[in-house]
Amino acid sequence: MAAKVPHWHRYLQVILSRERQRVEHFQKAENILLVVLERVHAMDPRFIVDYSRNLEALEFALSAAEDEVTMEVPLRIDADALFVQECSDKQSDSEKETCGNYQLPGSCYLGVPKEGPNLENWTKEDVFNAVGSTEYCGHIVPGKILRLLKDLVVAAIVHCKSQSLIKPVLCSSPGEVEAERLKEDDMHLPLLVSSGWKMICFNIVPVMRRKQGVLELNNSWQERGFPQGSLRKVAQEANYIPASYYHWRYSTNRSILKLIQIVGNLKGYRLDSLRLLDQVNQEHWREEGKKEGLTFHHLKMVFLWATHFFPSPEDWMDLDGSVYRLLVILLCCLVTQNLPHFLYPEQNLFQGDGLDLSALYSKVETFASSPEHFLKFHFVIRENNMHQQMDYGLKALLLLPDEDKAYWDTAFFDMLLNKVFCDDCSGEDIKRIIPFNTKMFVQFQMYQIKDTQRISAMSNIQAKTKKMANNQS
């Protein structure tokens, strides 16, 4: 059986006990950064200070990583008046930039119309390139904005230190703000800020916010599992961030965080399952000292798909059952090597990441089979001694959604969570029908749903799976 409930709750209690202090440290560092950004705004009002930081605080609280936080700096402009000119594939690929894997592919120019209202400040040479066009007079250049913002941030730090608004560097201790990383040539400005406990890296990103959303919600089925109107609510604003020196791109990061915030208001162990699994990822699945690996952004997408596929409050009543709902989605995505973006399912978030998905699958599968060995902090054991080799039957089952999209649905994942396969057949019959590992599915006994329609759909998909296996044997 899966780990006893106390294991899960003790592990979660440790995470939550640390979380309050971590959030306090984050808010202290954030307040220092806001002092710097207020000075930036005073020097150049085109850059706005956004005091509504609840989404960033939520992400910092849920994530086990404490290295980097994104700080968006909105631009004071009527972005809806701008022309959005999509780049050709050749233009887009020539300057492709990746930042946290949260933006969509496809870059664009943002053009200033020839007769736009209140856009004079954005046709100055420090942020603008003039071009010949019948519709617009030129483009707002993100590379120029980043260069200007970097100079303003440096000047603001100098001013704030001279006025004792922030502490300067002392011989015995670092200052509250360190700008050494600003020399890095990237599509954000990394700034180290003291939290009183450690330095937090804030990645400052200029952002264009348009009220004309680009998110097309043609597939209403995606809203299943979310409060009615949730997806339309998060689609009311479109955010554009730098993709390269000349190009912008649409970012879904804010929309994703808004969805997670909405789900967090629902009953059950929803957000707790996400924070617990991310802690396990940081402690056991990621290789120490390497940036490559499963990220919190990956797990956010797994969480949203789990919210969609498991819409009933009953799905989230137990902590261990809630975590396993994320696990079956994650295992399936690792086997098929495809983690669809929740808002844009045609985008595979595993593509181009350079992840060793087979090795990662083994680690996740080991945790799913014996979680009690991992639900401890500072628990050290050699991985090759811990891993129990499973047969490839489970992988064969998890590959079904890649072969038939009908399996990418609630009924299939309900089947994985239910023990019905083990109850229906003897061990030899199971191996003959689908040779998956029986022990693994005994441990996936996390199904307590009483919805007759879901039970019926699960029975149908199970019958379909057995029939397909019999026809192949």
Side-chain angles (χ1 to χ4, degrees), residues 230-267:
S230 298
L231 294 184
R232 296 197 177 278
K233 183 178 180 180
V234 304
Q236 291 175 352
E237 185 179 76
N239 297 319
Y240 287 87
I241 61 175
S244 68
Y245 186 86
Y246 292 103
H247 302 138
W248 300 84
R249 72 168 76 236
Y250 173 59
S251 169
T252 62
N253 189 51
R254 194 172 180 85
S255 299
I256 292 299
L257 285 176
K258 284 182 179 179
L259 274 180
I260 292 175
Q261 185 181 52
I262 290 171
V263 174
N265 293 324
L266 302 178
K267 293 182 179 180

mmCIF file of all heavy atoms in Angstrom, residues 230-267:
data_model
loop_
_atom_site.group_PDB
_atom_site.id
_atom_site.type_symbol
_atom_site.label_atom_id
_atom_site.label_comp_id
_atom_site.label_asym_id
_atom_site.label_seq_id
_atom_site.Cartn_x
_atom_site.Cartn_y
_atom_site.Cartn_z
ATOM 1 N N SER A 230 -13.534 30.935 -15.267
ATOM 2 C CA SER A 230 -12.144 31.115 -14.846
ATOM 3 C C SER A 230 -11.220 31.415 -16.016
ATOM 4 O O SER A 230 -10.399 32.335 -15.968
ATOM 5 C CB SER A 230 -11.647 29.863 -14.105
ATOM 6 O OG SER A 230 -12.393 29.634 -12.937
ATOM 7 N N LEU A 231 -11.326 30.616 -17.082
ATOM 8 C CA LEU A 231 -10.420 30.788 -18.209
ATOM 9 C C LEU A 231 -10.643 32.113 -18.918
ATOM 10 O O LEU A 231 -9.698 32.765 -19.360
ATOM 11 C CB LEU A 231 -10.562 29.620 -19.187
ATOM 12 C CG LEU A 231 -10.106 28.254 -18.646
ATOM 13 C CD1 LEU A 231 -10.192 27.204 -19.732
ATOM 14 C CD2 LEU A 231 -8.689 28.328 -18.106
ATOM 15 N N ARG A 232 -11.897 32.512 -19.022
ATOM 16 C CA ARG A 232 -12.160 33.810 -19.646
ATOM 17 C C ARG A 232 -11.638 34.947 -18.780
ATOM 18 O O ARG A 232 -11.203 35.987 -19.286
ATOM 19 C CB ARG A 232 -13.664 33.976 -19.898
ATOM 20 C CG ARG A 232 -14.192 32.963 -20.897
ATOM 21 C CD ARG A 232 -15.545 33.363 -21.452
ATOM 22 N NE ARG A 232 -15.983 32.392 -22.460
ATOM 23 C CZ ARG A 232 -15.593 32.407 -23.717
ATOM 24 N NH1 ARG A 232 -14.760 33.344 -24.139
ATOM 25 N NH2 ARG A 232 -16.006 31.497 -24.576
ATOM 26 N N LYS A 233 -11.667 34.754 -17.490
ATOM 27 C CA LYS A 233 -11.160 35.778 -16.571
ATOM 28 C C LYS A 233 -9.665 35.976 -16.745
ATOM 29 O O LYS A 233 -9.178 37.117 -16.776
ATOM 30 C CB LYS A 233 -11.477 35.383 -15.127
ATOM 31 C CG LYS A 233 -11.067 36.416 -14.096
ATOM 32 C CD LYS A 233 -11.468 35.971 -12.695
ATOM 33 C CE LYS A 233 -11.056 37.005 -11.651
ATOM 34 N NZ LYS A 233 -11.443 36.584 -10.279
ATOM 35 N N VAL A 234 -8.923 34.890 -16.885
ATOM 36 C CA VAL A 234 -7.467 35.023 -17.016
ATOM 37 C C VAL A 234 -7.061 35.443 -18.426
ATOM 38 O O VAL A 234 -5.906 35.812 -18.651
ATOM 39 C CB VAL A 234 -6.745 33.707 -16.635
ATOM 40 C CG1 VAL A 234 -7.120 33.264 -15.239
ATOM 41 C CG2 VAL A 234 -7.030 32.588 -17.638
ATOM 42 N N ALA A 235 -8.011 35.372 -19.373
ATOM 43 C CA ALA A 235 -7.706 35.727 -20.757
ATOM 44 C C ALA A 235 -8.017 37.183 -21.070
ATOM 45 O O ALA A 235 -7.916 37.609 -22.218
ATOM 46 C CB ALA A 235 -8.476 34.824 -21.717
ATOM 47 N N GLN A 236 -8.395 37.954 -20.070
ATOM 48 C CA GLN A 236 -8.775 39.343 -20.301
ATOM 49 C C GLN A 236 -7.579 40.245 -20.563
ATOM 50 O O GLN A 236 -7.750 41.389 -20.979
ATOM 51 C CB GLN A 236 -9.571 39.872 -19.102
ATOM 52 C CG GLN A 236 -10.947 39.242 -18.955
ATOM 53 C CD GLN A 236 -11.672 39.694 -17.708
ATOM 54 O OE1 GLN A 236 -11.097 40.374 -16.855
ATOM 55 N NE2 GLN A 236 -12.935 39.323 -17.590
ATOM 56 N N GLU A 237 -6.392 39.756 -20.297
ATOM 57 C CA GLU A 237 -5.192 40.571 -20.468
ATOM 58 C C GLU A 237 -4.121 39.758 -21.171
ATOM 59 O O GLU A 237 -3.952 38.570 -20.909
ATOM 60 C CB GLU A 237 -4.689 41.026 -19.093
ATOM 61 C CG GLU A 237 -3.513 41.969 -19.126
ATOM 62 C CD GLU A 237 -3.100 42.376 -17.719
ATOM 63 O OE1 GLU A 237 -2.462 41.554 -17.025
ATOM 64 O OE2 GLU A 237 -3.417 43.507 -17.306
ATOM 65 N N ALA A 238 -3.425 40.410 -22.088
ATOM 66 C CA ALA A 238 -2.326 39.764 -22.804
ATOM 67 C C ALA A 238 -1.025 40.470 -22.438
ATOM 68 O O ALA A 238 -0.931 41.691 -22.540
ATOM 69 C CB ALA A 238 -2.559 39.825 -24.306
ATOM 70 N N ASN A 239 -0.036 39.707 -22.000
ATOM 71 C CA ASN A 239 1.241 40.270 -21.578
ATOM 72 C C ASN A 239 2.326 39.937 -22.597
ATOM 73 O O ASN A 239 2.498 38.770 -22.973
ATOM 74 C CB ASN A 239 1.643 39.720 -20.204
ATOM 75 C CG ASN A 239 0.652 40.117 -19.129
ATOM 76 O OD1 ASN A 239 0.177 41.247 -19.106
ATOM 77 N ND2 ASN A 239 0.330 39.193 -18.244
ATOM 78 N N TYR A 240 3.070 40.957 -23.014
ATOM 79 C CA TYR A 240 4.178 40.772 -23.939
ATOM 80 C C TYR A 240 5.480 41.121 -23.227
ATOM 81 O O TYR A 240 5.599 42.173 -22.580
ATOM 82 C CB TYR A 240 4.004 41.657 -25.177
ATOM 83 C CG TYR A 240 2.937 41.168 -26.111
ATOM 84 C CD1 TYR A 240 1.611 41.539 -25.921
ATOM 85 C CD2 TYR A 240 3.237 40.319 -27.172
ATOM 86 C CE1 TYR A 240 0.619 41.082 -26.769
ATOM 87 C CE2 TYR A 240 2.255 39.858 -28.019
ATOM 88 C CZ TYR A 240 0.939 40.237 -27.817
ATOM 89 O OH TYR A 240 -0.040 39.773 -28.657
ATOM 90 N N ILE A 241 6.458 40.220 -23.331
ATOM 91 C CA ILE A 241 7.761 40.403 -22.703
ATOM 92 C C ILE A 241 8.846 40.288 -23.783
ATOM 93 O O ILE A 241 8.587 39.766 -24.878
ATOM 94 C CB ILE A 241 8.002 39.357 -21.590
ATOM 95 C CG1 ILE A 241 7.972 37.941 -22.169
ATOM 96 C CG2 ILE A 241 6.966 39.505 -20.476
ATOM 97 C CD1 ILE A 241 8.319 36.863 -21.161
ATOM 98 N N PRO A 242 10.066 40.751 -23.509
ATOM 99 C CA PRO A 242 11.137 40.660 -24.510
ATOM 100 C C PRO A 242 11.450 39.208 -24.879
ATOM 101 O O PRO A 242 11.562 38.345 -24.012
ATOM 102 C CB PRO A 242 12.328 41.318 -23.812
ATOM 103 C CG PRO A 242 11.718 42.254 -22.817
ATOM 104 C CD PRO A 242 10.490 41.548 -22.332
ATOM 105 N N ALA A 243 11.574 38.972 -26.182
ATOM 106 C CA ALA A 243 12.002 37.662 -26.677
ATOM 107 C C ALA A 243 13.409 37.732 -27.252
ATOM 108 O O ALA A 243 14.155 36.754 -27.223
ATOM 109 C CB ALA A 243 11.039 37.157 -27.744
ATOM 110 N N SER A 244 13.772 38.891 -27.793
ATOM 111 C CA SER A 244 15.100 39.131 -28.341
ATOM 112 C C SER A 244 15.282 40.647 -28.363
ATOM 113 O O SER A 244 14.443 41.396 -27.854
ATOM 114 C CB SER A 244 15.229 38.547 -29.746
ATOM 115 O OG SER A 244 14.399 39.270 -30.652
ATOM 116 N N TYR A 245 16.362 41.119 -28.969
ATOM 117 C CA TYR A 245 16.622 42.556 -28.974
ATOM 118 C C TYR A 245 15.487 43.318 -29.674
ATOM 119 O O TYR A 245 15.053 44.374 -29.204
ATOM 120 C CB TYR A 245 17.955 42.857 -29.671
ATOM 121 C CG TYR A 245 18.359 44.324 -29.576
ATOM 122 C CD1 TYR A 245 19.056 44.787 -28.470
ATOM 123 C CD2 TYR A 245 18.023 45.232 -30.584
ATOM 124 C CE1 TYR A 245 19.413 46.121 -28.361
ATOM 125 C CE2 TYR A 245 18.373 46.569 -30.484
ATOM 126 C CZ TYR A 245 19.069 47.007 -29.370
ATOM 127 O OH TYR A 245 19.409 48.335 -29.259
ATOM 128 N N TYR A 246 14.986 42.779 -30.782
ATOM 129 C CA TYR A 246 13.959 43.476 -31.552
ATOM 130 C C TYR A 246 12.544 42.935 -31.334
ATOM 131 O O TYR A 246 11.566 43.593 -31.667
ATOM 132 C CB TYR A 246 14.284 43.396 -33.056
ATOM 133 C CG TYR A 246 15.503 44.177 -33.455
ATOM 134 C CD1 TYR A 246 16.717 43.537 -33.711
ATOM 135 C CD2 TYR A 246 15.466 45.573 -33.567
ATOM 136 C CE1 TYR A 246 17.845 44.250 -34.072
ATOM 137 C CE2 TYR A 246 16.589 46.300 -33.927
ATOM 138 C CZ TYR A 246 17.775 45.633 -34.174
ATOM 139 O OH TYR A 246 18.895 46.336 -34.529
ATOM 140 N N HIS A 247 12.428 41.734 -30.804
ATOM 141 C CA HIS A 247 11.140 41.051 -30.807
ATOM 142 C C HIS A 247 10.545 40.891 -29.412
ATOM 143 O O HIS A 247 11.256 40.719 -28.428
ATOM 144 C CB HIS A 247 11.283 39.654 -31.438
ATOM 145 C CG HIS A 247 11.815 39.690 -32.833
ATOM 146 N ND1 HIS A 247 12.764 38.803 -33.286
ATOM 147 C CD2 HIS A 247 11.545 40.515 -33.869
ATOM 148 C CE1 HIS A 247 13.052 39.077 -34.550
ATOM 149 N NE2 HIS A 247 12.320 40.110 -34.917
ATOM 150 N N TRP A 248 9.210 40.902 -29.378
ATOM 151 C CA TRP A 248 8.443 40.601 -28.170
ATOM 152 C C TRP A 248 7.799 39.234 -28.342
ATOM 153 O O TRP A 248 7.713 38.707 -29.435
ATOM 154 C CB TRP A 248 7.342 41.654 -27.963
ATOM 155 C CG TRP A 248 7.827 43.056 -27.815
ATOM 156 C CD1 TRP A 248 8.139 43.936 -28.816
ATOM 157 C CD2 TRP A 248 8.060 43.751 -26.585
ATOM 158 N NE1 TRP A 248 8.553 45.132 -28.295
ATOM 159 C CE2 TRP A 248 8.511 45.065 -26.926
ATOM 160 C CE3 TRP A 248 7.927 43.428 -25.240
ATOM 161 C CZ2 TRP A 248 8.817 46.015 -25.963
ATOM 162 C CZ3 TRP A 248 8.231 44.375 -24.277
ATOM 163 C CH2 TRP A 248 8.677 45.649 -24.636
ATOM 164 N N ARG A 249 7.330 38.679 -27.248
ATOM 165 C CA ARG A 249 6.532 37.456 -27.335
ATOM 166 C C ARG A 249 5.465 37.461 -26.243
ATOM 167 O O ARG A 249 5.603 38.106 -25.200
ATOM 168 C CB ARG A 249 7.380 36.195 -27.259
ATOM 169 C CG ARG A 249 7.952 35.900 -25.891
ATOM 170 C CD ARG A 249 8.542 34.494 -25.835
ATOM 171 N NE ARG A 249 9.824 34.396 -26.502
ATOM 172 C CZ ARG A 249 10.054 33.535 -27.476
ATOM 173 N NH1 ARG A 249 9.101 32.729 -27.895
ATOM 174 N NH2 ARG A 249 11.246 33.457 -28.026
ATOM 175 N N TYR A 250 4.400 36.722 -26.518
ATOM 176 C CA TYR A 250 3.289 36.611 -25.571
ATOM 177 C C TYR A 250 3.673 35.653 -24.453
ATOM 178 O O TYR A 250 4.180 34.562 -24.696
ATOM 179 C CB TYR A 250 2.043 36.115 -26.311
ATOM 180 C CG TYR A 250 0.873 35.799 -25.421
ATOM 181 C CD1 TYR A 250 0.314 36.770 -24.604
ATOM 182 C CD2 TYR A 250 0.330 34.525 -25.402
ATOM 183 C CE1 TYR A 250 -0.759 36.482 -23.791
ATOM 184 C CE2 TYR A 250 -0.752 34.222 -24.594
ATOM 185 C CZ TYR A 250 -1.289 35.203 -23.786
ATOM 186 O OH TYR A 250 -2.359 34.903 -22.972
ATOM 187 N N SER A 251 3.428 36.052 -23.215
ATOM 188 C CA SER A 251 3.746 35.230 -22.048
ATOM 189 C C SER A 251 2.468 34.785 -21.353
ATOM 190 O O SER A 251 1.554 35.595 -21.128
ATOM 191 C CB SER A 251 4.610 36.021 -21.056
ATOM 192 O OG SER A 251 4.709 35.330 -19.818
ATOM 193 N N THR A 252 2.390 33.502 -21.011
ATOM 194 C CA THR A 252 1.226 32.967 -20.294
ATOM 195 C C THR A 252 1.486 32.849 -18.796
ATOM 196 O O THR A 252 0.632 32.354 -18.060
ATOM 197 C CB THR A 252 0.853 31.575 -20.829
ATOM 198 O OG1 THR A 252 1.942 30.677 -20.599
ATOM 199 C CG2 THR A 252 0.534 31.619 -22.317
ATOM 200 N N ASN A 253 2.641 33.283 -18.329
ATOM 201 C CA ASN A 253 3.009 33.076 -16.928
ATOM 202 C C ASN A 253 1.973 33.660 -15.972
ATOM 203 O O ASN A 253 1.559 33.015 -15.001
ATOM 204 C CB ASN A 253 4.381 33.706 -16.657
ATOM 205 C CG ASN A 253 4.907 33.347 -15.284
ATOM 206 O OD1 ASN A 253 4.936 32.187 -14.910
ATOM 207 N ND2 ASN A 253 5.313 34.346 -14.519
ATOM 208 N N ARG A 254 1.550 34.885 -16.235
ATOM 209 C CA ARG A 254 0.588 35.533 -15.346
ATOM 210 C C ARG A 254 -0.776 34.834 -15.396
ATOM 211 O O ARG A 254 -1.436 34.671 -14.357
ATOM 212 C CB ARG A 254 0.462 37.010 -15.743
ATOM 213 C CG ARG A 254 -0.243 37.882 -14.724
ATOM 214 C CD ARG A 254 -0.147 39.354 -15.124
ATOM 215 N NE ARG A 254 -0.806 40.219 -14.185
ATOM 216 C CZ ARG A 254 -0.254 40.685 -13.076
ATOM 217 N NH1 ARG A 254 0.987 40.352 -12.763
ATOM 218 N NH2 ARG A 254 -0.915 41.482 -12.253
ATOM 219 N N SER A 255 -1.201 34.408 -16.566
ATOM 220 C CA SER A 255 -2.478 33.697 -16.694
ATOM 221 C C SER A 255 -2.458 32.379 -15.935
ATOM 222 O O SER A 255 -3.436 32.016 -15.262
ATOM 223 C CB SER A 255 -2.791 33.443 -18.172
ATOM 224 O OG SER A 255 -2.901 34.651 -18.889
ATOM 225 N N ILE A 256 -1.332 31.666 -16.027
ATOM 226 C CA ILE A 256 -1.202 30.386 -15.318
ATOM 227 C C ILE A 256 -1.269 30.595 -13.815
ATOM 228 O O ILE A 256 -1.955 29.859 -13.085
ATOM 229 C CB ILE A 256 0.118 29.683 -15.719
ATOM 230 C CG1 ILE A 256 0.063 29.227 -17.183
ATOM 231 C CG2 ILE A 256 0.394 28.501 -14.804
ATOM 232 C CD1 ILE A 256 -1.022 28.228 -17.489
ATOM 233 N N LEU A 257 -0.565 31.614 -13.309
ATOM 234 C CA LEU A 257 -0.580 31.886 -11.867
ATOM 235 C C LEU A 257 -1.974 32.294 -11.397
ATOM 236 O O LEU A 257 -2.391 31.937 -10.289
ATOM 237 C CB LEU A 257 0.437 32.969 -11.528
ATOM 238 C CG LEU A 257 1.900 32.541 -11.544
ATOM 239 C CD1 LEU A 257 2.811 33.734 -11.291
ATOM 240 C CD2 LEU A 257 2.161 31.462 -10.495
ATOM 241 N N LYS A 258 -2.696 33.037 -12.222
ATOM 242 C CA LYS A 258 -4.062 33.421 -11.863
ATOM 243 C C LYS A 258 -4.961 32.189 -11.749
ATOM 244 O O LYS A 258 -5.793 32.099 -10.839
ATOM 245 C CB LYS A 258 -4.634 34.388 -12.900
ATOM 246 C CG LYS A 258 -4.099 35.818 -12.781
ATOM 247 C CD LYS A 258 -4.755 36.717 -13.823
ATOM 248 C CE LYS A 258 -4.266 38.153 -13.703
ATOM 249 N NZ LYS A 258 -4.895 39.030 -14.728
ATOM 250 N N LEU A 259 -4.790 31.231 -12.673
ATOM 251 C CA LEU A 259 -5.573 29.993 -12.603
ATOM 252 C C LEU A 259 -5.259 29.219 -11.325
ATOM 253 O O LEU A 259 -6.158 28.696 -10.660
ATOM 254 C CB LEU A 259 -5.288 29.119 -13.829
ATOM 255 C CG LEU A 259 -6.100 29.368 -15.094
ATOM 256 C CD1 LEU A 259 -5.669 28.411 -16.186
ATOM 257 C CD2 LEU A 259 -7.593 29.242 -14.817
ATOM 258 N N ILE A 260 -3.983 29.138 -10.985
ATOM 259 C CA ILE A 260 -3.587 28.427 -9.768
ATOM 260 C C ILE A 260 -4.153 29.128 -8.542
ATOM 261 O O ILE A 260 -4.601 28.479 -7.588
ATOM 262 C CB ILE A 260 -2.051 28.319 -9.693
ATOM 263 C CG1 ILE A 260 -1.542 27.384 -10.793
ATOM 264 C CG2 ILE A 260 -1.597 27.820 -8.321
ATOM 265 C CD1 ILE A 260 -0.045 27.293 -10.890
ATOM 266 N N GLN A 261 -4.145 30.438 -8.555
ATOM 267 C CA GLN A 261 -4.714 31.202 -7.441
ATOM 268 C C GLN A 261 -6.212 30.918 -7.305
ATOM 269 O O GLN A 261 -6.722 30.749 -6.183
ATOM 270 C CB GLN A 261 -4.483 32.691 -7.670
ATOM 271 C CG GLN A 261 -4.922 33.584 -6.521
ATOM 272 C CD GLN A 261 -4.681 35.054 -6.831
ATOM 273 O OE1 GLN A 261 -5.094 35.555 -7.876
ATOM 274 N NE2 GLN A 261 -4.001 35.750 -5.937
ATOM 275 N N ILE A 262 -6.926 30.836 -8.420
ATOM 276 C CA ILE A 262 -8.355 30.523 -8.400
ATOM 277 C C ILE A 262 -8.593 29.132 -7.829
ATOM 278 O O ILE A 262 -9.471 28.926 -6.976
ATOM 279 C CB ILE A 262 -8.944 30.639 -9.820
ATOM 280 C CG1 ILE A 262 -8.975 32.107 -10.262
ATOM 281 C CG2 ILE A 262 -10.354 30.043 -9.878
ATOM 282 C CD1 ILE A 262 -9.328 32.301 -11.718
ATOM 283 N N VAL A 263 -7.803 28.153 -8.269
ATOM 284 C CA VAL A 263 -7.949 26.778 -7.780
ATOM 285 C C VAL A 263 -7.630 26.716 -6.285
ATOM 286 O O VAL A 263 -8.227 25.926 -5.538
ATOM 287 C CB VAL A 263 -7.031 25.825 -8.568
ATOM 288 C CG1 VAL A 263 -7.074 24.422 -7.978
ATOM 289 C CG2 VAL A 263 -7.448 25.783 -10.027
ATOM 290 N N GLY A 264 -6.701 27.558 -5.836
ATOM 291 C CA GLY A 264 -6.333 27.560 -4.426
ATOM 292 C C GLY A 264 -7.460 27.931 -3.498
ATOM 293 O O GLY A 264 -7.411 27.628 -2.297
ATOM 294 N N ASN A 265 -8.499 28.578 -4.027
ATOM 295 C CA ASN A 265 -9.645 28.954 -3.206
ATOM 296 C C ASN A 265 -10.671 27.817 -3.081
ATOM 297 O O ASN A 265 -11.644 27.957 -2.339
ATOM 298 C CB ASN A 265 -10.332 30.192 -3.800
ATOM 299 C CG ASN A 265 -9.453 31.433 -3.711
ATOM 300 O OD1 ASN A 265 -8.717 31.611 -2.738
ATOM 301 N ND2 ASN A 265 -9.511 32.285 -4.723
ATOM 302 N N LEU A 266 -10.460 26.724 -3.813
ATOM 303 C CA LEU A 266 -11.356 25.572 -3.721
ATOM 304 C C LEU A 266 -10.961 24.692 -2.548
ATOM 305 O O LEU A 266 -9.827 24.726 -2.066
ATOM 306 C CB LEU A 266 -11.314 24.775 -5.029
ATOM 307 C CG LEU A 266 -11.681 25.545 -6.303
ATOM 308 C CD1 LEU A 266 -11.536 24.636 -7.523
ATOM 309 C CD2 LEU A 266 -13.089 26.112 -6.225
ATOM 310 N N LYS A 267 -11.886 23.866 -2.098
ATOM 311 C CA LYS A 267 -11.621 23.003 -0.941
ATOM 312 C C LYS A 267 -10.718 21.833 -1.327
ATOM 313 O O LYS A 267 -10.658 21.425 -2.478
ATOM 314 C CB LYS A 267 -12.950 22.480 -0.385
ATOM 315 C CG LYS A 267 -13.834 23.560 0.231
ATOM 316 C CD LYS A 267 -15.112 22.955 0.796
ATOM 317 C CE LYS A 267 -15.995 24.032 1.432
ATOM 318 N NZ LYS A 267 -17.249 23.459 1.983
#
